[in-house]
Amino acid sequence: MLAYIVRRLFLMLVTLFGISVIIFVLLRIVPGNIVDILFDAAGYVDPADKANLEKELGLSQPIVMQYLSWIGGLLHGDLGYSYVSEKPALQEILPRIPITAKLAGLALLFSASIGIPLGVLSAVHQGTRLDYALRVVSLSGLSLPSFWLGLLILMASVSMLGWMPIFNPNPQTWAEAFAIYCIPAMAVGFRSAALTMRITRSSMLEILRQDYIRTARAKGASEASVNYHHALKNAVLPVITVIGIEAAFLIGGLIVTETVFNIPGVARFLVEALRWRDYPIVQNLVMFIAVVVVVVNFTVDMLYAAIDPRIRYGD
């Protein structure tokens, strides 16, 4: 197990290094930078002033030197300064991380708490009207775009309740905080819940056909014990994989939801930084999302060994 963990950590570092190179190069080969945008917006271009600004921002250096400067600062905890606000990038990013983390965590909780039980229920009642109804719901969840669902929720809130959720960075109570994040989390978590339900149903159907399930029933085990203790326990590994992938996806995939509900999170901030070619913000946000993805994948692999004793990574 120790050798496997060491190999995985090494692969994680190689992956993050590759991502850092790719995002750095891609940002530089895209036509135009923030200096071009600023001078175009002003309506004139003074070559001397433009050259001085590029030198001040470090954009006149060779691309290799720019990369080494960024990575060196990143390793020392210095993320640079935002080109737009001229504030430290860390100071701009840190307040937005808890907002997106709360939204993604609540969406993931909604996804697992709804998707897994409904998936089990659909598998246990295979071929019944309930099964068909749940499959239609899951298919709808995979088909409906989150931005469209979010707009429908906003319209329903206004027309039926007479109010719409407005983001408040400093909620006074837990109930107020839950109300702020609940509706956006449901909008983005509905798709994840539908995917989780389909994977749970598929995995449960495969397990319910196994010999040991028939043996458990023959010994007189109750249906609840067979379904939840014997079947779900062995069917949960693919579900964990999906939940892990969705957890990584939600951190960077909340762009539309945060825009629709006017939530100042990481995803929306990334889009704004891309529009202004704010290189320090974009680079560091992409690296943050990449770290979350690789850490989640590593955690899922470790959970496999903890849940299923048959898995031994050291063999």
Side-chain angles (χ1 to χ4, degrees), residues 242-309:
V242 171
I243 292 177
I245 294 174
E246 288 297 305
F249 167 79
L250 285 173
I251 295 296
L254 291 170
I255 296 173
V256 175
T257 303
E258 290 184 351
T259 302
V260 169
F261 290 93
N262 197 29
I263 298 176
V266 167
R268 182 184 174 193
F269 189 45
L270 177 59
V271 175
E272 295 175 354
L274 279 169
R275 182 166 59 89
W276 285 99
R277 305 292 197 276
D278 198 345
Y279 294 159
I281 298 297
V282 176
Q283 292 164 182
N284 293 310
L285 281 179
V286 171
M287 287 305 299
F288 166 72
I289 294 173
V291 169
V292 171
V293 171
V294 298
V295 169
V296 168
N297 287 332
F298 176 76
T299 304
V300 168
D301 285 348
M302 294 298 101
L303 282 176
Y304 279 0
I307 293 175
D308 193 340

Short mmCIF file of all heavy atoms in Angstrom, two decimals, residues 242-309:
data_model
loop_
_atom_site.label_atom_id
_atom_site.label_comp_id
_atom_site.label_asym_id
_atom_site.label_seq_id
_atom_site.Cartn_x
_atom_site.Cartn_y
_atom_site.Cartn_z
N VAL A 242 -18.60 7.73 -9.32
CA VAL A 242 -19.40 8.80 -9.92
C VAL A 242 -19.46 10.01 -8.99
O VAL A 242 -19.32 11.16 -9.44
CB VAL A 242 -20.81 8.28 -10.25
CG1 VAL A 242 -21.72 9.44 -10.67
CG2 VAL A 242 -20.75 7.24 -11.35
N ILE A 243 -19.66 9.77 -7.71
CA ILE A 243 -19.74 10.88 -6.75
C ILE A 243 -18.41 11.63 -6.71
O ILE A 243 -18.37 12.87 -6.64
CB ILE A 243 -20.14 10.36 -5.36
CG1 ILE A 243 -21.58 9.86 -5.39
CG2 ILE A 243 -19.97 11.45 -4.31
CD1 ILE A 243 -22.04 9.26 -4.08
N GLY A 244 -17.30 10.89 -6.75
CA GLY A 244 -15.99 11.54 -6.76
C GLY A 244 -15.78 12.39 -7.99
O GLY A 244 -15.29 13.53 -7.91
N ILE A 245 -16.17 11.86 -9.16
CA ILE A 245 -16.05 12.64 -10.40
C ILE A 245 -16.94 13.87 -10.35
O ILE A 245 -16.53 14.98 -10.75
CB ILE A 245 -16.41 11.75 -11.61
CG1 ILE A 245 -15.38 10.63 -11.76
CG2 ILE A 245 -16.49 12.59 -12.88
CD1 ILE A 245 -15.73 9.63 -12.83
N GLU A 246 -18.15 13.72 -9.85
CA GLU A 246 -19.07 14.85 -9.76
C GLU A 246 -18.56 15.90 -8.78
O GLU A 246 -18.72 17.10 -9.01
CB GLU A 246 -20.46 14.36 -9.34
CG GLU A 246 -21.20 13.60 -10.42
CD GLU A 246 -21.48 14.46 -11.63
OE1 GLU A 246 -22.09 15.53 -11.49
OE2 GLU A 246 -21.06 14.07 -12.74
N ALA A 247 -17.94 15.44 -7.68
CA ALA A 247 -17.39 16.39 -6.71
C ALA A 247 -16.30 17.25 -7.35
O ALA A 247 -16.24 18.47 -7.14
CB ALA A 247 -16.83 15.64 -5.50
N ALA A 248 -15.43 16.61 -8.13
CA ALA A 248 -14.39 17.36 -8.83
C ALA A 248 -14.99 18.27 -9.89
O ALA A 248 -14.55 19.41 -10.09
CB ALA A 248 -13.39 16.39 -9.45
N PHE A 249 -16.01 17.78 -10.59
CA PHE A 249 -16.64 18.56 -11.65
C PHE A 249 -17.36 19.79 -11.09
O PHE A 249 -17.32 20.87 -11.69
CB PHE A 249 -17.64 17.68 -12.41
CG PHE A 249 -18.56 18.44 -13.31
CD1 PHE A 249 -18.14 18.90 -14.55
CD2 PHE A 249 -19.87 18.71 -12.94
CE1 PHE A 249 -18.99 19.60 -15.38
CE2 PHE A 249 -20.73 19.41 -13.76
CZ PHE A 249 -20.28 19.86 -14.99
N LEU A 250 -18.00 19.65 -9.94
CA LEU A 250 -18.80 20.74 -9.41
C LEU A 250 -17.95 21.95 -9.03
O LEU A 250 -18.41 23.09 -9.13
CB LEU A 250 -19.59 20.26 -8.19
CG LEU A 250 -20.80 19.37 -8.48
CD1 LEU A 250 -21.38 18.82 -7.18
CD2 LEU A 250 -21.85 20.13 -9.26
N ILE A 251 -16.70 21.73 -8.59
CA ILE A 251 -15.86 22.85 -8.20
C ILE A 251 -15.62 23.79 -9.38
O ILE A 251 -15.65 25.01 -9.24
CB ILE A 251 -14.50 22.34 -7.65
CG1 ILE A 251 -14.73 21.55 -6.36
CG2 ILE A 251 -13.55 23.50 -7.39
CD1 ILE A 251 -15.28 22.37 -5.22
N GLY A 252 -15.39 23.21 -10.55
CA GLY A 252 -15.14 24.05 -11.72
C GLY A 252 -16.31 24.15 -12.66
O GLY A 252 -16.25 24.89 -13.64
N GLY A 253 -17.39 23.42 -12.39
CA GLY A 253 -18.51 23.40 -13.32
C GLY A 253 -19.70 24.21 -12.88
O GLY A 253 -20.81 23.99 -13.37
N LEU A 254 -19.49 25.13 -11.95
CA LEU A 254 -20.60 25.93 -11.43
C LEU A 254 -20.69 27.29 -12.11
O LEU A 254 -21.34 28.20 -11.58
CB LEU A 254 -20.43 26.12 -9.92
CG LEU A 254 -20.63 24.86 -9.07
CD1 LEU A 254 -20.21 25.10 -7.64
CD2 LEU A 254 -22.08 24.42 -9.11
N ILE A 255 -20.03 27.43 -13.26
CA ILE A 255 -19.96 28.74 -13.91
C ILE A 255 -21.35 29.28 -14.21
O ILE A 255 -21.70 30.42 -13.87
CB ILE A 255 -19.13 28.65 -15.20
CG1 ILE A 255 -17.69 28.29 -14.86
CG2 ILE A 255 -19.18 29.95 -15.97
CD1 ILE A 255 -16.83 28.00 -16.07
N VAL A 256 -22.17 28.46 -14.86
CA VAL A 256 -23.50 28.92 -15.26
C VAL A 256 -24.37 29.18 -14.05
O VAL A 256 -25.07 30.20 -13.97
CB VAL A 256 -24.16 27.88 -16.19
CG1 VAL A 256 -25.59 28.28 -16.51
CG2 VAL A 256 -23.36 27.73 -17.47
N THR A 257 -24.33 28.27 -13.08
CA THR A 257 -25.18 28.41 -11.89
C THR A 257 -24.81 29.67 -11.10
O THR A 257 -25.69 30.42 -10.67
CB THR A 257 -25.05 27.17 -10.99
OG1 THR A 257 -25.39 26.01 -11.74
CG2 THR A 257 -25.97 27.28 -9.79
N GLU A 258 -23.52 29.90 -10.91
CA GLU A 258 -23.10 31.09 -10.16
C GLU A 258 -23.46 32.37 -10.92
O GLU A 258 -23.75 33.40 -10.29
CB GLU A 258 -21.60 31.03 -9.89
CG GLU A 258 -21.21 29.96 -8.89
CD GLU A 258 -19.73 29.97 -8.56
OE1 GLU A 258 -18.97 30.70 -9.23
OE2 GLU A 258 -19.33 29.25 -7.64
N THR A 259 -23.46 32.31 -12.25
CA THR A 259 -23.84 33.48 -13.04
C THR A 259 -25.34 33.74 -12.96
O THR A 259 -25.77 34.88 -12.78
CB THR A 259 -23.41 33.28 -14.50
OG1 THR A 259 -21.99 33.06 -14.56
CG2 THR A 259 -23.76 34.51 -15.33
N VAL A 260 -26.13 32.68 -13.10
CA VAL A 260 -27.59 32.82 -13.07
C VAL A 260 -28.06 33.36 -11.72
O VAL A 260 -28.92 34.25 -11.65
CB VAL A 260 -28.27 31.48 -13.38
CG1 VAL A 260 -29.77 31.55 -13.09
CG2 VAL A 260 -28.03 31.09 -14.83
N PHE A 261 -27.49 32.85 -10.63
CA PHE A 261 -27.92 33.25 -9.29
C PHE A 261 -27.06 34.37 -8.71
O PHE A 261 -27.20 34.69 -7.52
CB PHE A 261 -27.89 32.04 -8.36
CG PHE A 261 -28.95 31.02 -8.65
CD1 PHE A 261 -28.70 29.95 -9.48
CD2 PHE A 261 -30.22 31.14 -8.10
CE1 PHE A 261 -29.68 29.00 -9.76
CE2 PHE A 261 -31.21 30.21 -8.37
CZ PHE A 261 -30.93 29.13 -9.21
N ASN A 262 -26.16 34.93 -9.52
CA ASN A 262 -25.34 36.07 -9.10
C ASN A 262 -24.55 35.74 -7.82
O ASN A 262 -24.53 36.52 -6.86
CB ASN A 262 -26.21 37.31 -8.89
CG ASN A 262 -25.38 38.59 -8.85
OD1 ASN A 262 -24.32 38.67 -9.46
ND2 ASN A 262 -25.86 39.58 -8.12
N ILE A 263 -23.88 34.61 -7.83
CA ILE A 263 -23.08 34.16 -6.69
C ILE A 263 -21.61 34.42 -6.98
O ILE A 263 -21.08 33.89 -7.97
CB ILE A 263 -23.33 32.67 -6.40
CG1 ILE A 263 -24.80 32.44 -6.06
CG2 ILE A 263 -22.44 32.17 -5.27
CD1 ILE A 263 -25.16 30.98 -5.87
N PRO A 264 -20.91 35.18 -6.17
CA PRO A 264 -19.50 35.53 -6.45
C PRO A 264 -18.54 34.41 -6.04
O PRO A 264 -17.72 34.58 -5.14
CB PRO A 264 -19.29 36.79 -5.61
CG PRO A 264 -20.21 36.61 -4.45
CD PRO A 264 -21.42 35.88 -4.97
N GLY A 265 -18.63 33.28 -6.71
CA GLY A 265 -17.78 32.14 -6.38
C GLY A 265 -16.56 32.05 -7.30
O GLY A 265 -16.28 32.93 -8.11
N VAL A 266 -15.84 30.93 -7.16
CA VAL A 266 -14.61 30.72 -7.92
C VAL A 266 -14.89 30.60 -9.40
O VAL A 266 -14.18 31.18 -10.23
CB VAL A 266 -13.90 29.45 -7.39
CG1 VAL A 266 -12.79 29.02 -8.34
CG2 VAL A 266 -13.34 29.69 -6.00
N ALA A 267 -15.92 29.84 -9.78
CA ALA A 267 -16.19 29.59 -11.19
C ALA A 267 -16.53 30.87 -11.94
O ALA A 267 -16.02 31.12 -13.04
CB ALA A 267 -17.33 28.57 -11.32
N ARG A 268 -17.39 31.69 -11.37
CA ARG A 268 -17.76 32.95 -12.02
C ARG A 268 -16.56 33.89 -12.10
O ARG A 268 -16.36 34.58 -13.11
CB ARG A 268 -18.90 33.60 -11.24
CG ARG A 268 -19.41 34.89 -11.85
CD ARG A 268 -20.46 35.53 -10.97
NE ARG A 268 -20.86 36.83 -11.46
CZ ARG A 268 -21.56 37.70 -10.77
NH1 ARG A 268 -21.97 37.39 -9.56
NH2 ARG A 268 -21.89 38.86 -11.27
N PHE A 269 -15.75 33.91 -11.05
CA PHE A 269 -14.57 34.76 -11.04
C PHE A 269 -13.57 34.32 -12.12
O PHE A 269 -12.89 35.16 -12.73
CB PHE A 269 -13.92 34.71 -9.66
CG PHE A 269 -12.81 35.69 -9.45
CD1 PHE A 269 -12.94 37.00 -9.85
CD2 PHE A 269 -11.62 35.30 -8.86
CE1 PHE A 269 -11.91 37.92 -9.66
CE2 PHE A 269 -10.60 36.20 -8.66
CZ PHE A 269 -10.74 37.52 -9.06
N LEU A 270 -13.50 33.01 -12.37
CA LEU A 270 -12.61 32.50 -13.41
C LEU A 270 -13.02 33.02 -14.78
O LEU A 270 -12.17 33.39 -15.60
CB LEU A 270 -12.62 30.97 -13.39
CG LEU A 270 -11.77 30.27 -14.46
CD1 LEU A 270 -10.31 30.67 -14.36
CD2 LEU A 270 -11.92 28.76 -14.32
N VAL A 271 -14.31 33.06 -15.05
CA VAL A 271 -14.79 33.57 -16.34
C VAL A 271 -14.45 35.04 -16.49
O VAL A 271 -14.00 35.49 -17.56
CB VAL A 271 -16.31 33.35 -16.47
CG1 VAL A 271 -16.84 33.99 -17.74
CG2 VAL A 271 -16.64 31.87 -16.47
N GLU A 272 -14.63 35.82 -15.43
CA GLU A 272 -14.30 37.24 -15.49
C GLU A 272 -12.81 37.45 -15.71
O GLU A 272 -12.39 38.33 -16.48
CB GLU A 272 -14.75 37.92 -14.20
CG GLU A 272 -16.26 37.91 -13.99
CD GLU A 272 -16.66 38.47 -12.63
OE1 GLU A 272 -15.75 38.75 -11.83
OE2 GLU A 272 -17.87 38.62 -12.38
N ALA A 273 -11.99 36.63 -15.06
CA ALA A 273 -10.54 36.76 -15.22
C ALA A 273 -10.11 36.37 -16.64
O ALA A 273 -9.20 36.98 -17.21
CB ALA A 273 -9.83 35.87 -14.20
N LEU A 274 -10.76 35.37 -17.21
CA LEU A 274 -10.45 34.99 -18.59
C LEU A 274 -10.80 36.12 -19.56
O LEU A 274 -10.08 36.36 -20.54
CB LEU A 274 -11.22 33.73 -18.96
CG LEU A 274 -10.62 32.39 -18.48
CD1 LEU A 274 -11.63 31.27 -18.69
CD2 LEU A 274 -9.33 32.10 -19.23
N ARG A 275 -11.90 36.79 -19.30
CA ARG A 275 -12.32 37.87 -20.20
C ARG A 275 -11.30 39.00 -20.22
O ARG A 275 -11.08 39.63 -21.25
CB ARG A 275 -13.70 38.39 -19.76
CG ARG A 275 -14.27 39.47 -20.65
CD ARG A 275 -15.75 39.66 -20.36
NE ARG A 275 -15.99 40.04 -18.98
CZ ARG A 275 -16.00 41.30 -18.53
NH1 ARG A 275 -15.80 42.29 -19.37
NH2 ARG A 275 -16.24 41.56 -17.27
N TRP A 276 -10.68 39.26 -19.07
CA TRP A 276 -9.71 40.35 -18.97
C TRP A 276 -8.27 39.88 -19.15
O TRP A 276 -7.34 40.68 -18.99
CB TRP A 276 -9.84 41.05 -17.62
CG TRP A 276 -11.04 41.93 -17.53
CD1 TRP A 276 -12.24 41.65 -16.95
CD2 TRP A 276 -11.15 43.25 -18.06
NE1 TRP A 276 -13.10 42.71 -17.08
CE2 TRP A 276 -12.45 43.72 -17.76
CE3 TRP A 276 -10.29 44.10 -18.76
CZ2 TRP A 276 -12.90 44.98 -18.14
CZ3 TRP A 276 -10.73 45.35 -19.14
CH2 TRP A 276 -12.03 45.78 -18.82
N ARG A 277 -8.08 38.59 -19.47
CA ARG A 277 -6.73 38.02 -19.59
C ARG A 277 -5.91 38.27 -18.32
O ARG A 277 -4.72 38.62 -18.39
CB ARG A 277 -5.98 38.60 -20.80
CG ARG A 277 -6.69 38.49 -22.11
CD ARG A 277 -6.81 37.05 -22.60
NE ARG A 277 -7.13 37.01 -24.02
CZ ARG A 277 -8.36 37.11 -24.52
NH1 ARG A 277 -9.39 37.27 -23.68
NH2 ARG A 277 -8.57 37.07 -25.80
N ASP A 278 -6.56 38.11 -17.18
CA ASP A 278 -5.88 38.31 -15.90
C ASP A 278 -5.10 37.04 -15.58
O ASP A 278 -5.55 36.16 -14.85
CB ASP A 278 -6.92 38.61 -14.80
CG ASP A 278 -6.29 39.24 -13.58
OD1 ASP A 278 -5.05 39.19 -13.46
OD2 ASP A 278 -7.04 39.77 -12.73
N TYR A 279 -3.89 36.93 -16.14
CA TYR A 279 -3.13 35.70 -16.09
C TYR A 279 -2.91 35.14 -14.69
O TYR A 279 -3.12 33.93 -14.46
CB TYR A 279 -1.77 35.90 -16.77
CG TYR A 279 -1.84 36.15 -18.25
CD1 TYR A 279 -0.79 36.77 -18.93
CD2 TYR A 279 -2.95 35.77 -19.00
CE1 TYR A 279 -0.85 37.02 -20.30
CE2 TYR A 279 -3.02 36.00 -20.36
CZ TYR A 279 -1.97 36.63 -21.00
OH TYR A 279 -2.03 36.86 -22.35
N PRO A 280 -2.48 35.93 -13.71
CA PRO A 280 -2.26 35.35 -12.37
C PRO A 280 -3.51 34.72 -11.77
O PRO A 280 -3.44 33.65 -11.15
CB PRO A 280 -1.79 36.56 -11.55
CG PRO A 280 -1.21 37.50 -12.55
CD PRO A 280 -2.05 37.35 -13.77
N ILE A 281 -4.66 35.35 -11.96
CA ILE A 281 -5.91 34.80 -11.42
C ILE A 281 -6.28 33.51 -12.13
O ILE A 281 -6.60 32.49 -11.50
CB ILE A 281 -7.05 35.82 -11.53
CG1 ILE A 281 -6.73 37.08 -10.72
CG2 ILE A 281 -8.35 35.21 -11.05
CD1 ILE A 281 -6.60 36.85 -9.24
N VAL A 282 -6.24 33.52 -13.47
CA VAL A 282 -6.63 32.34 -14.24
C VAL A 282 -5.71 31.16 -13.94
O VAL A 282 -6.17 30.04 -13.69
CB VAL A 282 -6.62 32.65 -15.75
CG1 VAL A 282 -6.92 31.40 -16.56
CG2 VAL A 282 -7.63 33.73 -16.08
N GLN A 283 -4.41 31.39 -13.97
CA GLN A 283 -3.45 30.31 -13.74
C GLN A 283 -3.65 29.68 -12.37
O GLN A 283 -3.68 28.44 -12.24
CB GLN A 283 -2.03 30.86 -13.86
CG GLN A 283 -1.67 31.28 -15.27
CD GLN A 283 -0.45 32.17 -15.33
OE1 GLN A 283 -0.06 32.62 -16.40
NE2 GLN A 283 0.14 32.47 -14.18
N ASN A 284 -3.79 30.50 -11.36
CA ASN A 284 -3.90 29.96 -10.00
C ASN A 284 -5.24 29.29 -9.76
O ASN A 284 -5.32 28.28 -9.05
CB ASN A 284 -3.68 31.09 -8.98
CG ASN A 284 -2.26 31.61 -8.99
OD1 ASN A 284 -1.30 30.85 -8.93
ND2 ASN A 284 -2.09 32.92 -9.10
N LEU A 285 -6.32 29.82 -10.36
CA LEU A 285 -7.63 29.18 -10.20
C LEU A 285 -7.66 27.82 -10.90
O LEU A 285 -8.20 26.85 -10.36
CB LEU A 285 -8.73 30.08 -10.75
CG LEU A 285 -9.18 31.23 -9.87
CD1 LEU A 285 -10.26 32.04 -10.56
CD2 LEU A 285 -9.70 30.72 -8.52
N VAL A 286 -7.08 27.74 -12.09
CA VAL A 286 -7.04 26.46 -12.80
C VAL A 286 -6.20 25.45 -12.02
O VAL A 286 -6.56 24.27 -11.92
CB VAL A 286 -6.49 26.65 -14.22
CG1 VAL A 286 -6.24 25.30 -14.89
CG2 VAL A 286 -7.46 27.46 -15.06
N MET A 287 -5.11 25.89 -11.45
CA MET A 287 -4.28 24.97 -10.64
C MET A 287 -5.03 24.53 -9.39
O MET A 287 -4.93 23.37 -8.97
CB MET A 287 -2.97 25.66 -10.26
CG MET A 287 -1.99 25.81 -11.41
SD MET A 287 -1.61 24.24 -12.23
CE MET A 287 -0.87 23.32 -10.89
N PHE A 288 -5.80 25.43 -8.80
CA PHE A 288 -6.60 25.04 -7.64
C PHE A 288 -7.62 23.97 -8.01
O PHE A 288 -7.78 22.97 -7.30
CB PHE A 288 -7.32 26.28 -7.08
CG PHE A 288 -8.41 25.96 -6.10
CD1 PHE A 288 -8.13 25.49 -4.83
CD2 PHE A 288 -9.76 26.12 -6.47
CE1 PHE A 288 -9.15 25.19 -3.94
CE2 PHE A 288 -10.77 25.82 -5.58
CZ PHE A 288 -10.46 25.35 -4.31
N ILE A 289 -8.31 24.16 -9.14
CA ILE A 289 -9.29 23.17 -9.59
C ILE A 289 -8.59 21.85 -9.91
O ILE A 289 -9.10 20.77 -9.59
CB ILE A 289 -10.05 23.70 -10.82
CG1 ILE A 289 -10.89 24.92 -10.42
CG2 ILE A 289 -10.94 22.61 -11.42
CD1 ILE A 289 -11.54 25.61 -11.58
N ALA A 290 -7.40 21.92 -10.51
CA ALA A 290 -6.65 20.70 -10.83
C ALA A 290 -6.25 19.95 -9.57
O ALA A 290 -6.33 18.72 -9.51
CB ALA A 290 -5.41 21.05 -11.66
N VAL A 291 -5.83 20.67 -8.55
CA VAL A 291 -5.47 20.02 -7.28
C VAL A 291 -6.68 19.34 -6.66
O VAL A 291 -6.59 18.21 -6.16
CB VAL A 291 -4.87 21.07 -6.30
CG1 VAL A 291 -4.74 20.48 -4.90
CG2 VAL A 291 -3.51 21.54 -6.79
N VAL A 292 -7.83 20.01 -6.71
CA VAL A 292 -9.05 19.39 -6.18
C VAL A 292 -9.38 18.11 -6.92
O VAL A 292 -9.71 17.08 -6.30
CB VAL A 292 -10.23 20.39 -6.28
CG1 VAL A 292 -11.54 19.69 -5.94
CG2 VAL A 292 -10.01 21.57 -5.35
N VAL A 293 -9.25 18.12 -8.25
CA VAL A 293 -9.59 16.94 -9.05
C VAL A 293 -8.67 15.77 -8.71
O VAL A 293 -9.14 14.64 -8.47
CB VAL A 293 -9.51 17.27 -10.55
CG1 VAL A 293 -9.65 16.00 -11.39
CG2 VAL A 293 -10.60 18.26 -10.93
N VAL A 294 -7.36 15.99 -8.67
CA VAL A 294 -6.44 14.88 -8.43
C VAL A 294 -6.55 14.38 -6.99
O VAL A 294 -6.43 13.17 -6.73
CB VAL A 294 -4.99 15.28 -8.77
CG1 VAL A 294 -4.84 15.62 -10.24
CG2 VAL A 294 -4.49 16.43 -7.91
N VAL A 295 -6.80 15.28 -6.05
CA VAL A 295 -6.95 14.85 -4.65
C VAL A 295 -8.23 14.03 -4.48
O VAL A 295 -8.24 13.01 -3.77
CB VAL A 295 -6.94 16.07 -3.71
CG1 VAL A 295 -7.37 15.67 -2.30
CG2 VAL A 295 -5.55 16.69 -3.66
N VAL A 296 -9.31 14.45 -5.13
CA VAL A 296 -10.56 13.70 -5.05
C VAL A 296 -10.39 12.31 -5.66
O VAL A 296 -10.84 11.31 -5.09
CB VAL A 296 -11.70 14.47 -5.74
CG1 VAL A 296 -12.92 13.57 -5.93
CG2 VAL A 296 -12.09 15.68 -4.91
N ASN A 297 -9.73 12.21 -6.81
CA ASN A 297 -9.49 10.91 -7.43
C ASN A 297 -8.64 10.02 -6.54
O ASN A 297 -8.91 8.81 -6.42
CB ASN A 297 -8.80 11.09 -8.79
CG ASN A 297 -9.74 11.63 -9.85
OD1 ASN A 297 -10.95 11.41 -9.79
ND2 ASN A 297 -9.20 12.34 -10.81
N PHE A 298 -7.64 10.58 -5.90
CA PHE A 298 -6.80 9.81 -4.98
C PHE A 298 -7.62 9.34 -3.78
O PHE A 298 -7.49 8.18 -3.34
CB PHE A 298 -5.63 10.67 -4.53
CG PHE A 298 -4.74 10.01 -3.51
CD1 PHE A 298 -3.84 9.03 -3.89
CD2 PHE A 298 -4.81 10.37 -2.17
CE1 PHE A 298 -3.02 8.42 -2.95
CE2 PHE A 298 -4.00 9.77 -1.23
CZ PHE A 298 -3.09 8.79 -1.62
N THR A 299 -8.46 10.22 -3.26
CA THR A 299 -9.30 9.84 -2.11
C THR A 299 -10.27 8.73 -2.47
O THR A 299 -10.50 7.81 -1.67
CB THR A 299 -10.07 11.07 -1.60
OG1 THR A 299 -9.14 12.12 -1.30
CG2 THR A 299 -10.88 10.74 -0.36
N VAL A 300 -10.84 8.79 -3.67
CA VAL A 300 -11.76 7.74 -4.11
C VAL A 300 -11.04 6.39 -4.18
O VAL A 300 -11.57 5.37 -3.75
CB VAL A 300 -12.38 8.11 -5.47
CG1 VAL A 300 -13.10 6.90 -6.08
CG2 VAL A 300 -13.35 9.26 -5.31
N ASP A 301 -9.82 6.38 -4.71
CA ASP A 301 -9.06 5.13 -4.78
C ASP A 301 -8.78 4.57 -3.39
O ASP A 301 -8.81 3.35 -3.18
CB ASP A 301 -7.74 5.36 -5.52
CG ASP A 301 -7.95 5.49 -7.01
OD1 ASP A 301 -9.05 5.17 -7.49
OD2 ASP A 301 -7.01 5.92 -7.71
N MET A 302 -8.49 5.45 -2.44
CA MET A 302 -8.25 4.98 -1.08
C MET A 302 -9.53 4.45 -0.44
O MET A 302 -9.50 3.50 0.35
CB MET A 302 -7.67 6.13 -0.23
CG MET A 302 -6.29 6.59 -0.66
SD MET A 302 -5.02 5.30 -0.55
CE MET A 302 -4.89 4.81 -2.27
N LEU A 303 -10.66 5.07 -0.77
CA LEU A 303 -11.94 4.59 -0.24
C LEU A 303 -12.28 3.20 -0.76
O LEU A 303 -12.93 2.42 -0.06
CB LEU A 303 -13.05 5.57 -0.60
CG LEU A 303 -13.14 6.85 0.23
CD1 LEU A 303 -14.23 7.76 -0.33
CD2 LEU A 303 -13.42 6.53 1.68
N TYR A 304 -11.85 2.89 -1.97
CA TYR A 304 -12.08 1.55 -2.50
C TYR A 304 -11.53 0.48 -1.55
O TYR A 304 -12.20 -0.50 -1.22
CB TYR A 304 -11.41 1.40 -3.86
CG TYR A 304 -12.17 1.97 -5.02
CD1 TYR A 304 -13.41 2.60 -4.84
CD2 TYR A 304 -11.67 1.91 -6.31
CE1 TYR A 304 -14.11 3.13 -5.90
CE2 TYR A 304 -12.36 2.45 -7.38
CZ TYR A 304 -13.57 3.05 -7.17
OH TYR A 304 -14.26 3.58 -8.22
N ALA A 305 -10.27 0.67 -1.16
CA ALA A 305 -9.63 -0.32 -0.28
C ALA A 305 -10.28 -0.34 1.10
O ALA A 305 -10.35 -1.39 1.74
CB ALA A 305 -8.15 0.00 -0.14
N ALA A 306 -10.78 0.81 1.56
CA ALA A 306 -11.40 0.85 2.88
C ALA A 306 -12.78 0.16 2.87
O ALA A 306 -13.16 -0.48 3.86
CB ALA A 306 -11.53 2.30 3.35
N ILE A 307 -13.51 0.29 1.76
CA ILE A 307 -14.87 -0.26 1.70
C ILE A 307 -14.86 -1.73 1.29
O ILE A 307 -15.59 -2.55 1.85
CB ILE A 307 -15.72 0.57 0.72
CG1 ILE A 307 -15.92 1.97 1.28
CG2 ILE A 307 -17.07 -0.09 0.47
CD1 ILE A 307 -16.64 2.91 0.35
N ASP A 308 -14.03 -2.07 0.30
CA ASP A 308 -14.01 -3.44 -0.22
C ASP A 308 -12.71 -4.13 0.22
O ASP A 308 -11.62 -3.81 -0.29
CB ASP A 308 -14.09 -3.42 -1.75
CG ASP A 308 -14.38 -4.80 -2.33
OD1 ASP A 308 -14.15 -5.80 -1.62
OD2 ASP A 308 -14.84 -4.87 -3.48
N PRO A 309 -12.76 -5.06 1.15
CA PRO A 309 -11.54 -5.74 1.63
C PRO A 309 -10.88 -6.60 0.58
O PRO A 309 -9.73 -7.01 0.77
CB PRO A 309 -12.05 -6.58 2.80
CG PRO A 309 -13.51 -6.80 2.53
CD PRO A 309 -13.98 -5.56 1.82
#
